[in-house]
Amino acid sequence: STDLTSTVGYDSIIQHLNDGRKNCKEFEDFLKERAIIEEKYGKELINLSKKKPCGQTELNTLKRSLDVFKQQIDNVGQGHIQLAQTLREEAKKMEDFREKQKLHRKKIELIMEAIHKNRNLQYKKTMEVKQNALLFLAMWALPHLPSLSHFWQLFLKLAQTKSALEDTDRSYQQSVTTLEKIREEWQNEHIKACEFFETQECERINYFRNALWLHVNQLSLGCVQNDEKYEEIRKSLEMCSIEKDVDFFVNLRKTGSLAPAPVVYENYYNAQRNVTPVRSPAPVPISRRGPLPTPTSAPGEPDYATVDGYSLV
């Protein structure tokens, strides 16, 4: 600014730096809130996998698949809890970075506040001395102005003292010289402060950008790790055999290999008669049942995915 005592430009820079610090704080709070959500979600998943029954009476291969399913859901929950801890650590790093910049900037701001105060005081003093010098000069010139004779009489004593005018002029010159030195010092410090603030702003933007990039990578990594856990479930389901499970149940619950014999009539009413007994038919062995029916998918129901090229559809 052309106004020597103006701090409009400097104040604008400080305001921008404070806004940048506020933006970092907002992202820091965002990470903390996301950490709370991730931790809560992870704990809920773990509780769900441990406490909620899920096919607990299934047998053999499908049972193993369900066990893998619940274990991997538990692992996914643990992964979300770990992600919550990672987010808290990133939030702490952002806080440390923000406080570090604030501490370094405070030193520069104190220097600038002191030099602004000194500059303004010297400027005010110089202007006061200048006004005094102009007053004495006007008083010295009053005798040459007949129309101001009355005014001249009021300040006659001061006007007659030539040395007072000279002293005032010297004081004015010294004040201007001192002010110029202070102005140069302030200008140099102002340039240094602006360069420092610019460096800080570049560091802040770079740090903020990298922190956001890292946060997104962490979320992507969590998705990849979760998909690996879900892939274990898919592999387990690939090992699930319908025929084996049915055979397992049959072998586990079978009561024998012979069907019950037919019930024959016994004549107790004419038991004393010599009736030729009816021979009981021989037991009929149970033959192996036919092939198991092939499960069919209902319209719109997704097909099973393969392990090598599974589809999320």
Side-chain angles (χ1 to χ4, degrees), residues 134-160:
L134 290 174
L135 177 60
F136 277 117
L137 182 61
M139 292 168 60
W140 184 260
L142 282 178
H144 305 289
L145 300 174
S147 61
L148 297 177
S149 58
H150 180 67
F151 185 75
W152 163 249
Q153 292 176 358
L154 296 176
F155 294 96
L156 182 60
K157 293 183 180 180
L158 293 175
Q160 291 174 346

Side-chain angles (χ1 to χ4, degrees), residues 253-265:
R253 302 299 184 186
K254 66 181 179 181
T255 57
S257 59
L258 298 177
V263 178
V264 297
Y265 170 73

